[in-house]
Amino acid sequence: MSKGNFFITTPIYYPSDKLHIGHTYCTVATDAFARYKRLCGYNVMFLTGTDEHGQKIEDKAREAGVTPKQFVDNIVAGEGGVLDLWKLMNISNDRFVRTTDDYHVQSVQKIFKKMYDKGDIYKGKYVGKYCKPCESFWTDSQLKDGCCPDCGRPVVDAEEEAYFFKLSKYADRIQDLLENTDFLEPRSRVNEMVNNFIKPGLEDLCVSRTSFSWGIPVDFDPGHVVYVWVDALSNYITALGYENDRYNDYEAFWPGVNIVGKEIVRFHSIIWPAMLMSIEEPLPKKCFGHGWLLLDGGKMSKSKGNVVDPYILAEKFGVDALRFFLMRTFPFGSDGNFSNELLIQTINTDLANDLGNIVSRTTAMVGKYFGGTLPEGCATCETAQPFDTELIGMATALRDNYEYAMEHFAPHKALEEIFKVIQRANKYIDENAPWVLAKDMDANGERLAHVLYNLLETTRICGILLTPFMPDSCAKLFEQIGSCDACRTWDSAAVWGSRAETAPVTKGENLFPRVDVQKAIEELEALQAAKAEEARRASLPAVEIEPQSEEFVDFDTFCKSDFRVVKVKACENVKKSEKLLKFTLDDGTGTDRQILSGIAKWYKPEDLIGKTLVAIVNLPPRKMMGQDSCGMLISAVHNEYGEEKLNLLMLDDAIPAGAKLC
Ligand code: ME8
């Protein structure tokens, strides 16, 4: 029987660029909470989506030469796009909202009108500062050193006719919500909101724009589009069917839990509740602001370009290992430094050494000593040892500790609890030395079977609680340890001895292979460099050619240039120069000609010997690196993906040295 309905959401991400590991972090965490709640017996609605309007998208689409809708369609539904990424990462969302969906557009217009009719939205003039990459308006007092307080980049002056939402009207109620309920977590974010935004006086919020058109039109005032935050925040209810006919889940599922990154806590804990107060709807149950994944100490962000590609990591290490790493390593409410080394270390320590070890050793021993099936009666033992009691006690108490952590949005703590038990179980193997017991099966067979049963039971309980984090690997683990459907449930995770004594055990594939650190880092760096190069190239023209000269040169001047066919007799690098090659050329006169040419970046000297080239021979000689250069070799130049390319003009070898070009 269902324990009730539970609604949880991620932010809806901007499809201004491909998503990165930071977005993956939030979506995997929300997925783990959703799966956990389903495991507990709730009827879960898990919503994610994309926030597709706004000036940034409009600008990017223009740059790409496509319409804004084509631009977002490609990033959301195109190959390697948002939908593909969530499929790859095994995200179990029940719904995906796009703010360009018709039903959302209609609902937002109705929400805007409701707020207007209530007298909470009025027309005024916006004068302030605007940060384009963040799509945020700021007042002078909010700027940090004159720049955007979120991303640190310069802001521009902005002034236009706009609608405003009377946020100030709700300041007291919001302060009360923040200070006197557990709506906002972690609690450390409460002071930040109250001191930085509410106490200095909440300013009314600009909620419409006229300077761009890629947005939801304000239907009663053409020319205005709904400013992106009112559009975006509404998704949490429009996707349930609020003010639309597309869905009918609002009554059943709202209010829910909003999981967001710390930089948008302000919008979710002040503006969003105020909007709901204005339209007189229930406030969200919770806003949890998680920390950032940092790269070299700075926030990863699409607009800064310092991002880690989740595709590469999932391809290399497996989806579950990546999901596990993200949840295990970084305390959910705090920032954490991402590194490939840390990822590999976590895989090796927790998954290969600890969890992998207990699964592979236990299943191997059940196979070796009992042919894959433990005997009846193995769950009980007359000679129980203190370490049996300790292990069983820890494993039985695990579900409660885990539940407490998960209910407090601390997945890292939940995993820590599981790994305490796994580490205890590994120690239990050593304490019992099953391989020693196995030497005398007549005397110790019963005890050995009991030890192995205890290990299988411990693994089963851990497997159940790990399922929200690593769904596929845990399903395989259950197959290996002989865990039936009924003993993979939430209830059975608290009942020691749920596993049938004689359930078959099969040593299968190694679920978590060890990673060779050095090799993996090298391969990763090469993959990341190749992807970065691919992205760099995609943003540059394949071929660029210098425009033709508009200035005429008179014929007589042109005729004065003496171009001749030359043959390369010798060619070598010029000492102490990275650029220059020194050529000894047959120019048909019987005397060798020496030319220095700055083309070492494109040619190796040995590859040019014997080639038939073209040189201009009546340029005045000049010294280069202390050596004479008498003339110049002719080449074709162009740019390829932003890089200069050069090709020497090479002629048919049948043409004799000295032949004149005219
Ligand atoms: O803000 N570390 O979208 P967005 C951890 N459309 N999490 C990160 C991260 C990082 N380095 N980078 C991004 C928007 N995130 C709005 C939201 S909601 C009504 C509208 C995650 O594409 C984190 O959850 O910029 C953050 O809040 C979210 O992605 C921002 O995604």
Side-chain angles (χ1 to χ4, degrees):
M1 211 189 66
S2 165
K3 286 192 182 150
N5 292 338
F6 179 78
F7 180 44
I8 190 161
T9 67
T10 71
I12 49 171
Y13 305 110
Y14 291 128
S16 52
D17 229 320
K18 292 243 152 97
L19 301 190
H20 57 71
I21 197 80
H23 305 101
T24 308
Y25 174 62
C26 178
T27 309
V28 165
T30 312
D31 184 60
F33 294 130
R35 286 177 183 271
Y36 153 71
K37 282 289 186 181
R38 285 191 202 108
L39 180 67
C40 292
Y42 286 87
N43 178 27
V44 173
M45 171 73 74
F46 168 17
L47 171 71
T48 186
T50 39
D51 181 3
E52 305 189 354
H53 292 124
Q55 191 166 3
K56 191 157 71 178
I57 304 260
E58 192 177 272
D59 290 351
K60 282 232 162 192
R62 194 177 312 112
E63 268 167 43
V66 293
T67 66
K69 184 67 168 61
Q70 285 167 334
F71 182 83
V72 293
D73 278 352
N74 179 43
I75 293 190
V76 175
E79 199 188 322
V82 179
L83 294 174
D84 275 359
L85 179 61
W86 298 154
K87 194 166 168 213
L88 171 76
M89 292 307 301
N90 209 353
I91 301 303
S92 64
N93 57 299
D94 301 283
R95 208 156 276 177
F96 190 96
V97 57
R98 298 181 58 176
T99 55
T100 50
D101 289 339
D102 286 346
Y103 72 87
H104 173 82
V105 170
Q106 286 157 18
S107 299
V108 167
Q109 288 176 329
K110 287 184 185 154
I111 292 169
F112 197 91
K113 185 76 176 18
K114 268 194 180 178
M115 291 161 75
Y116 180 77
D117 289 344
K118 176 93 181 276
D120 283 351
I121 284 182
Y122 62 92
K123 203 181 242 180
K125 194 176 228 179
Y126 189 83
V127 184
K129 305 286 180 192
Y130 186 64
C131 173
K132 239 182 172 187
C134 296
E135 302 196 19
S136 298
F137 281 106
W138 303 100
T139 56
D140 282 325
S141 63
Q142 287 171 329
L143 300 180
K144 226 185 214 166
D145 304 326
C147 293
C148 170
D150 268 356
C151 72
R153 273 174 288 217
V155 288
V156 290
D157 287 323
E159 183 186 308
E160 64 188 48
E161 181 190 86
Y163 283 101
F164 286 84
F165 171 48
K166 287 184 188 163
L167 196 55
S168 47
K169 176 173 161 188
Y170 297 102
D172 291 346
R173 280 181 68 192
I174 293 190
Q175 186 165 352
D176 181 53
L177 172 75
L178 295 177
E179 288 183 333
N180 300 322
T181 73
D182 59 4
F183 158 70
L184 176 59
E185 283 191 62
R187 297 302 293 159
S188 56
R189 307 229 184 272
V190 171
N191 281 346
E192 193 186 323
M193 291 303 121
V194 172
N195 294 338
N196 295 356
F197 298 107
I198 298 183
K199 287 209 174 137
L202 269 187
E203 291 178 32
D204 289 351
L205 178 78
C206 172
V207 289
S208 82
R209 298 296 310 271
T210 52
S211 57
F212 64 89
S213 58
W214 181 237
I216 298 179
V218 174
D219 51 359
F220 57 85
D221 193 348
H224 283 260
V225 294
V226 177
Y227 169 55
V228 76
W229 278 101
V230 170
D231 171 356
L233 290 162
S234 301
N235 92 86
Y236 301 126
I237 54 175
T238 65
L240 291 175
Y242 182 76
E243 289 289 352
N244 67 65
D245 298 331
R246 173 70 190 277
Y247 297 113
N248 195 18
D249 298 307
Y250 181 70
E251 296 302 325
F253 284 96
W254 187 254
V257 172
N258 296 139
I259 305 287
V260 302
K262 66 177 187 181
E263 82 291 359
I264 54 174
V265 161
R266 177 167 80 100
F267 300 97
H268 285 79
S269 68
I270 297 177
I271 297 171
W272 179 221
M275 280 172 62
L276 289 163
M277 287 170 190
S278 173
I279 59 172
E280 297 175 22
E281 293 297 332
L283 305 185
K285 264 191 213 152
K286 172 132 351 247
C287 166
F288 190 96
H290 69 76
W292 287 344
L293 290 193
L294 309 174
L295 197 63
D296 305 323
K299 185 186 178 236
M300 254 178 247
S301 80
K302 287 177 288 213
S303 41
K304 280 201 246 163
N306 62 338
V307 297
V308 173
D309 185 341
Y311 269 96
I312 294 182
L313 299 178
E315 220 167 76
K316 186 98 205 71
F317 302 109
V319 169
D320 278 354
L322 178 58
R323 289 174 58 108
F324 173 80
F325 160 73
L326 292 172
M327 296 296 94
R328 165 80 161 134
T329 314
F330 310 107
F332 194 51
S334 327
D335 292 350
N337 248 315
F338 175 90
S339 78
N340 291 331
E341 286 80 357
L342 196 56
L343 165 61
I344 298 170
Q345 187 191 322
T346 308
I347 293 176
N348 282 346
T349 310
D350 290 339
L351 296 183
N353 287 4
D354 288 349
L355 178 60
N357 190 47
I358 185 176
V359 177
S360 66
R361 284 172 92 185
T362 308
T363 53
M365 289 190 287
V366 176
K368 188 167 168 196
Y369 305 135
F370 295 96
T373 311
L374 292 180
E376 263 176 49
C378 63
T380 47
C381 180
E382 281 173 12
T383 56
Q385 304 287 330
F387 35 73
D388 296 342
T389 328
E390 195 188 328
L391 179 69
I392 296 171
M394 277 178 82
T396 315
L398 177 59
R399 198 192 75 170
D400 280 354
N401 295 335
Y402 169 95
E403 184 177 16
Y404 182 84
M406 290 302 274
E407 289 298 323
H408 289 83
F409 300 93
H412 57 289
K413 283 234 167 78
L415 288 168
E416 192 180 306
E417 292 297 335
I418 297 176
F419 274 77
K420 274 189 213 159
V421 175
I422 291 174
Q423 281 148 13
R424 183 66 193 85
N426 272 315
K427 191 167 154 222
Y428 180 80
I429 299 185
D430 296 334
E431 286 163 343
N432 283 287
W435 48 93
V436 177
L437 293 175
K439 285 190 181 143
D440 186 350
M441 287 297 276
D442 288 342
N444 305 323
E446 203 181 306
R447 169 78 197 150
L448 177 59
H450 184 61
V451 166
L452 293 177
Y453 182 83
N454 288 346
L455 288 168
L456 290 172
E457 258 310 72
T458 308
T459 314
R460 179 186 68 83
I461 290 172
C462 293
I464 295 171
L465 304 178
L466 280 169
T467 302
F469 300 94
M470 300 191 288
D472 282 354
S473 306
C474 290
K476 289 184 191 159
L477 179 147
F478 291 138
E479 289 304 315
Q480 295 193 5
I481 63 170
S483 187
C484 62
D485 286 350
C487 49
R488 299 177 186 190
T489 62
W490 178 249
D491 285 347
S492 79
V495 183
W496 181 266
S498 297
R499 183 186 174 281
E501 291 170 326
T502 56
V505 170
T506 20
K507 177 157 171 47
E509 61 173 303
N510 185 356
L511 294 178
F512 306 108
R514 249 193 101 72
V515 177
D516 177 335
V517 184
Q518 196 55 37
K519 195 165 148 248
I521 297 270
E522 280 166 19
E523 283 172 9
L524 259 187
E525 281 171 1
L527 270 172
Q528 277 162 348
K531 278 244 176 175
E533 176 59 16
E534 203 180 291
R536 191 190 70 83
R537 282 180 162 234
S539 68
L540 291 166
V543 174
E544 263 179 310
I545 305 173
E546 199 178 309
Q548 289 186 5
S549 174
E550 286 179 7
E551 220 180 294
F552 287 115
V553 58
D554 66 76
F555 188 67
D556 290 346
T557 309
F558 168 71
C559 286
K560 283 185 194 158
S561 307
D562 194 358
F563 291 98
R564 298 288 171 151
V565 174
V566 292
K567 307 255 174 189
V568 182
K569 292 174 77 176
C571 180
E572 59 187 73
N573 289 101
V574 172
K575 271 186 207 130
K576 295 194 189 151
S577 166
E578 283 178 8
K579 286 190 188 160
L580 288 176
L581 293 184
K582 181 167 88 177
F583 289 83
T584 307
L585 301 161
D586 174 3
D587 61 3
T589 59
T591 313
D592 287 347
R593 173 179 293 271
Q594 175 168 299
I595 291 182
L596 272 69
S597 179
I599 60 171
K601 186 171 154 196
W602 294 281
Y603 288 102
K604 287 197 203 115
E606 59 271 25
D607 293 341
L608 293 173
I609 293 167
K611 298 286 184 211
T612 305
L613 309 178
V614 176
I616 173 165
V617 294
N618 61 339
L619 286 177
R622 58 186 276 220
K623 286 244 188 266
M624 295 163 94
M625 300 292 284
Q627 307 210 36
D628 284 331
S629 180
C630 305
M632 192 175 86
L633 292 169
I634 307 299
S635 348
V637 285
H638 72 283
N639 271 3
E640 222 169 271
Y641 298 111
E643 235 175 72
E644 195 183 10
K645 295 276 169 190
L646 177 143
N647 288 282
L648 277 170
L649 223 64
M650 291 194 192
L651 300 183
D652 192 318
D653 291 336
I655 307 171
K660 182 171 166 64
L661 274 82
C662 54

